[in-house]
Amino acid sequence: MARKLTLLAVIIALIALYFVFDLNQYLDLAFLQAQQASFNAFYEANQLLTIGLYFVFYIAVTALSLPGATIMTLAGGAVFGLPLGLLVVSFASSIGATLAFLVSRYILRDSIERRFRKQFEIINAGVEKDGPFYLFTLRLVPLFPFFVINLLMGLTRMKTWTYYWVSQVGMLAGTAVYVNAGTQLAAIERVSDIGSPQLLLSFALLGLFPLVAKKTVDFLKARKVYKSYTRPAGFDNNLIVIGAGSGGLVSAYIAATVNAKVTLIEKHRMGGDCLNTGCVPSKALIRAAKTAKEMRQADRFGIRPVEPEVDFSAVMNHVHQAIRDIEPHDSVERYEGLGVNVIQGEAHIRSPWEVEVNGEVLTTKNIILATGASPAVPPIKGLDQVDYLTSDNLWQLQEQPKRLVVLGGGPIGCELTQAFARLGSAVTQVEMGQRLVPREDEEVSTHIRETFEQEGITVLTEHKAAEVVIEDGQPFLVCSHADGDKHIPFDKLLVAVGRQANVTGYGLEELGVKLSDRGTVEVDPFLRTNFPNIFAVGDVAGPYQFTHTAAHMAWFASVNALFGKFKKFRVDYRVIPWATFTDPEVARVGLSEQEARDQHIDYEVTRYGIDDLDRAIADGEARGWVKVLTEPGKDKVIGATIVGTHAGDLLAEYVAAMKHGIGLNKMLGTIHTYPTLSEANKFAAGEWKKARKPERLLSWVARFHRWQRG
Ligand SMILES: Cc1cc2nc3c(=O)[nH]c(=O)nc-3n(C[C@H](O)[C@H](O)[C@H](O)COP(=O)(O)OP(=O)(O)OC[C@H]3O[C@@H](n4cnc5c(N)ncnc54)[C@H](O)[C@@H]3O)c2cc1C
């Protein structure tokens, strides 16, 4: 330890001396040019000594991570010329970098590794596997400062010799470009020399180098993943899309619109989860449930209330009728009419360019994975003894469960809990965490919980489902809780604890498509997997799992797949709205207040209570609020949460405002039809304005009016 501290003290002292004596002034372009002639003269007289001094000084600058390596490199070119300059700089910079790497390793590695053992195990496994390649790309593409790479790599377990030679090879091209630029600097004698073709070329090379290096790295990466596959000479398709849910349908639609040859493969039902087991059936069920609730509470409007007679199988018919009515939008016929080749069958990826379906192998230039997600089922002891429900098989239910336990307090769990309760089931909702809809602000969770409890739902938060047991033929869910285990009897158990990406069974494992920590397909900002011609969209890739985000991603993936050669677009997640369709609905775009606090983002908050809104009062829906977060001192919206009837629809105005930079002043200046719910948005903007009244000016205006009255 003492030795390490001594070394650290020496290094700090050397760095301090460098700044105290202002040695920085000598590592400056102007100084270099001013002294060019004397440097050259000294070099002519003492060639070996100059090279030796330069070499040692260069190593010291880089080993101590001092600023100035770039100027030193240019100086090397200016004094020694290209071949000798390149030779000297290449060795000096690699030795200096390796020394900095060793210093970081000696002083810091053990203590940092001890502290972050887990993280370093993962990093070192990565370094072992692909370290030289990543180092090579970091050296080739000068994205990160030279000294940062030395210091950080020193913390890993990479071998010193590997570090040395990979650095030297990786930096060679960049060094050559800079040394070459240095030789041209030496040639500037008059202002007119600046326009000389050689000088312009060397500067152009400086600018182009990072771009060319990036392309080279991309090319090398691509070669690496493709090396065990033979690329077909020609392709049947420009694009094959696997999965005809929201993401796949939109991808195929876009490809067909731009006249690409596209094949869409679906193994189950066109429309995917949203149409068949997700958004559409759940919203149809919610609507039926709302009618039941309105019948019970009709006396609010002077109509005799009745306890509705729920014919559950007829309710399910209504749900399936909604699916049937929407089905044509997503049908094979419609898509074939649009020019998409639709195949019904299970796709298996055989190579980056080959997909097998129904025994036939199709070739394609690009693939989009749009294979969606499935309900996650936690490993609860005894769960397999009962026919538990998930959002996949729920819609086949013909008999209404008298007692339903819903596992999960997220949006899907909440929507279905309330719907079944309103239809007459006795529902217990079990959530492991502290609150329902935990992504939203706490007041939202509280409001939803209170509403549920008023409607007769039993809400159990901080209850962890531990086991399913059957006693005398009666199934129970056993939940562990701080106050002891609870046994909840049920007729049906609905598992709604989240959704996991569909990533197995169709060739991704064999191919080596990388997955993220969340178990989704890992994609870059262009939605490419580690195979640059294979893209992923929607639930299989995340991070959002909504129909509209799947469709949004589809545009980026299909355009990047078909036209990425010319221009690629980064997927834009800046303004993503969503809604939970409980009653009241909860809709959000941008930051919640909690998120703003957690991320230390400054904000101002404005609230408008929907209980004050004329239309909501007339409709008997006078509850909820609009909460808007704005940038301090500005009317720019950075987040909006709406809780209330039709909140999902109301949110659109804030989505447009955030997307297109419309502030609250403009929203306030926009006419909203009276009496509509949309006025809530305008009134929220009014609240914002009211809180920022120009009080001083208004006191003068009051005086003016007093004077007018005489
Ligand atoms: C109950 C519930 C309610 C929901 N409500 C909403 C809501 O209100 N709003 C909202 O925005 N989102 C909602 N969602 C989420 C929404 O349904 C999904 O985000 C959306 O469907 C994702 O679309 P996708 O294209 O990624 O996948 P999916 O729609 O799941 O489509 C994937 C398709 O790929 C097919 N497939 C998979 N593997 C293969 C293979 N090897 N070969 C061929 N085909 C294959 C599958 O059969 C499937 O049809 C809800 C989800 C659920 C479960």
Side-chain angles (χ1 to χ4, degrees):
M1 190 66 184
R3 269 203 223 147
K4 286 187 183 178
L5 286 177
T6 316
L7 179 62
L8 188 63
V10 171
I11 290 172
I12 292 175
L14 285 173
I15 295 174
L17 284 177
Y18 175 85
F19 287 106
V20 169
F21 289 107
D22 197 14
L23 295 182
N24 220 5
Q25 62 176 305
Y26 303 117
L27 293 177
D28 176 89
L29 198 56
F31 177 80
L32 171 65
Q33 281 194 312
Q35 299 300 322
Q36 172 97 47
S38 43
F39 282 154
N40 284 348
F42 187 79
Y43 175 56
E44 286 307 321
N46 315 278
Q47 289 200 345
L48 275 181
L49 181 66
T50 316
I51 294 172
L53 285 174
Y54 174 87
F55 193 68
V56 171
F57 192 55
Y58 197 115
I59 291 176
V61 165
T62 45
L64 292 172
S65 304
L66 294 169
T70 310
I71 293 294
M72 292 275 307
T73 309
L74 291 171
V79 177
F80 307 129
L82 182 59
L84 182 60
L86 177 60
L87 186 75
V88 176
V89 173
S90 171
F91 278 95
S93 58
S94 308
I95 293 171
T98 308
L99 285 177
F101 162 91
L102 286 173
V103 167
S104 155
R105 171 163 293 183
Y106 181 64
I107 299 179
L108 298 172
R109 187 177 72 185
D110 290 348
S111 54
I112 293 195
E113 211 180 58
R114 234 176 287 126
R115 240 183 163 190
F116 303 99
R117 186 169 295 282
K118 273 231 160 75
Q119 290 88 331
F120 268 88
E121 270 169 20
I122 299 170
I123 292 173
N124 282 323
V127 165
E128 171 120 21
K129 193 163 158 257
D130 283 323
F133 180 72
Y134 287 126
L135 175 63
F136 179 75
T137 62
L138 284 172
R139 288 304 192 198
L140 195 60
V141 187
L143 274 182
F144 298 99
F146 185 73
F147 75 95
V148 174
I149 300 173
N150 300 332
L151 299 185
L152 291 182
M153 292 305 285
L155 304 177
T156 70
R157 297 251 151 210
M158 180 175 277
K159 289 198 179 85
T160 308
W161 168 241
T162 309
Y163 188 75
Y164 174 81
W165 76 258
V166 175
S167 296
Q168 185 149 22
V169 176
M171 289 190 296
L172 204 59
T175 307
V177 170
Y178 277 84
V179 173
N180 178 51
T183 63
Q184 296 306 311
L185 278 185
I188 303 177
E189 280 168 9
R190 293 176 301 274
V191 174
S192 60
D193 289 342
I194 291 175
S196 75
Q198 293 95 322
L199 196 65
L200 288 180
L201 182 67
S202 68
F203 282 140
L205 277 178
L206 270 184
L208 277 177
F209 178 69
L211 204 71
V212 174
K214 171 95 185 42
K215 289 269 171 224
T216 313
V217 168
D218 285 350
F219 173 75
L220 290 175
K221 268 193 195 158
R223 258 185 53 146
K224 203 161 165 257
V225 290
Y226 292 124
K227 73 170 183 272
S228 29
Y229 301 98
T230 315
R231 187 182 147 106
F235 300 98
D236 307 329
N237 292 275
N238 299 97
L239 181 64
I240 287 184
V241 181
I242 305 180
S246 324
L249 287 170
V250 177
S251 302
Y253 184 106
I254 293 168
T257 307
V258 296
N259 292 337
K261 179 98 183 9
V262 52
T263 295
L264 174 64
I265 306 175
E266 171 54 54
K267 69 172 176 183
H268 192 39
R269 292 170 70 185
M270 295 291 286
D273 267 1
C274 183
L275 174 61
N276 300 296
T277 56
C279 331
V280 172
S282 62
K283 267 76 252 179
L285 189 77
I286 286 168
R287 185 64 192 87
K290 186 168 185 175
T291 304
K293 179 231 168 189
E294 283 176 344
M295 288 170 74
R296 275 187 210 104
Q297 298 184 349
D299 55 337
R300 297 193 303 143
F301 305 110
I303 298 166
R304 189 155 45 84
V306 286
E307 184 53 38
E309 272 177 40
V310 176
D311 176 349
F312 190 71
S313 65
V315 170
M316 281 304 191
N317 279 346
H318 147 74
V319 166
H320 289 285
Q321 189 57 47
I323 297 173
R324 277 194 293 276
D325 288 348
I326 297 176
E327 244 165 19
H329 302 175
D330 298 349
S331 65
V332 173
E333 297 70 37
R334 173 165 183 238
Y335 275 78
E336 288 195 332
L338 290 166
V340 177
N341 174 33
V342 183
I343 300 180
Q344 303 235 254
E346 183 161 6
H348 288 273
I349 302 177
R350 297 298 179 212
S351 87
W353 303 281
E354 289 167 318
V355 178
E356 186 178 333
V357 57
N358 302 335
E360 193 191 348
V361 175
L362 308 174
T363 57
T364 178
K365 198 116 203 281
N366 301 286
I367 298 173
I368 292 183
L369 310 172
T371 48
S374 305
V377 179
I380 297 171
K381 201 171 151 202
L383 182 63
D384 50 7
Q385 302 174 79
V386 291
D387 275 343
Y388 62 88
L389 299 169
T390 66
S391 60
D392 273 358
N393 60 6
L394 171 68
W395 314 107
Q396 270 66 58
L397 205 62
Q398 282 302 312
E399 209 177 298
Q400 181 172 7
K402 284 201 172 59
R403 289 165 308 174
L404 176 70
V405 169
V406 177
L407 210 57
I412 296 177
C414 285
E415 288 180 9
L416 295 174
T417 289
Q418 193 180 36
F420 272 91
R422 287 180 165 190
L423 289 171
S425 298
V427 185
T428 304
Q429 190 178 15
V430 176
E431 164 58 46
M432 191 167 76
Q434 289 179 340
R435 53 194 182 93
L436 302 181
V437 282
R439 286 183 71 176
E440 307 301 337
D441 281 339
E442 193 160 348
E443 59 181 343
V444 176
S445 306
T446 308
H447 188 76
I448 296 296
R449 183 183 187 132
E450 283 170 5
T451 307
F452 278 17
E453 287 176 342
Q454 278 161 18
E455 293 190 12
I457 296 164
T458 307
V459 179
L460 301 176
T461 48
E462 296 181 88
H463 280 69
K464 187 167 192 282
E467 192 177 354
V468 171
V469 291
I470 300 181
E471 291 165 9
D472 299 331
Q474 168 63 59
F476 291 86
L477 178 69
V478 184
C479 296
S480 51
H481 178 63
D483 298 338
D485 286 358
K486 188 166 272 168
H487 282 54
I488 310 161
F490 63 83
D491 300 317
K492 282 285 177 194
L493 174 67
L494 170 63
V495 179
V497 293
R499 299 174 52 71
Q500 66 194 28
N502 295 329
V503 291
T504 54
Y506 59 99
L508 301 191
E509 306 99 313
E510 294 81 353
L511 209 61
V513 171
K514 279 195 184 153
L515 302 184
S516 72
D517 299 343
R518 290 173 291 122
T520 51
V521 169
E522 189 173 288
V523 287
D524 69 7
F526 305 105
L527 298 178
R528 293 178 300 192
T529 64
N530 54 319
F531 288 82
N533 74 320
I534 304 182
F535 298 72
V537 302
D539 285 8
V540 74
Y544 300 97
Q545 291 188 322
F546 303 115
T547 293
H548 46 279
T549 45
H552 177 71
M553 293 166 87
W555 186 89
F556 290 90
S558 49
V559 170
N560 287 340
L562 297 170
F563 302 109
K565 224 181 214 147
F566 310 108
K567 168 110 184 103
K568 284 193 286 294
F569 295 87
R570 280 167 192 273
V571 63
D572 178 0
Y573 290 132
R574 278 172 303 175
V575 184
I576 303 287
W578 62 81
T580 301
F581 295 89
T582 44
D583 183 11
E585 291 179 7
V586 178
R588 173 138 76 90
V589 60
L591 293 170
S592 71
E593 201 173 352
Q594 186 60 49
E595 285 172 351
R597 272 200 297 266
D598 291 347
Q599 295 168 30
H600 306 290
I601 294 172
D602 291 336
Y603 66 92
E604 288 171 352
V605 66
T606 303
R607 275 180 89 92
Y608 170 74
I610 294 179
D611 52 346
D612 198 43
L613 184 69
D614 292 4
R615 178 57 189 266
I617 295 169
D619 280 353
E621 298 282 1
R623 61 194 169 137
W625 62 87
V626 178
K627 178 158 138 188
V628 189
L629 267 57
T630 43
E631 267 184 21
K634 294 188 184 150
D635 70 343
K636 183 176 173 194
V637 179
I638 55 172
T641 300
I642 306 181
V643 177
T645 186
H646 294 292
D649 297 84
L650 293 184
L651 190 75
E653 195 167 0
Y654 285 103
V655 182
M658 284 185 67
K659 175 85 188 164
H660 301 291
I662 299 166
L664 290 183
N665 278 314
K666 284 202 173 135
M667 212 185 269
L668 185 59
T670 304
I671 300 175
H672 290 62
T673 315
Y674 180 84
T676 57
L677 296 172
S678 72
E679 283 187 302
N681 293 340
K682 181 183 165 114
F683 293 148
E687 290 298 319
W688 176 86
K689 191 77 179 171
K690 236 190 286 170
R692 289 154 186 80
K693 270 196 307 208
E695 299 288 357
R696 198 175 273 176
L697 178 68
L698 287 175
S699 77
W700 280 101
V701 176
R703 280 183 207 184
F704 165 75
H705 289 312
R706 214 175 302 133
W707 170 71
Q708 286 275 292
R709 293 196 298 270

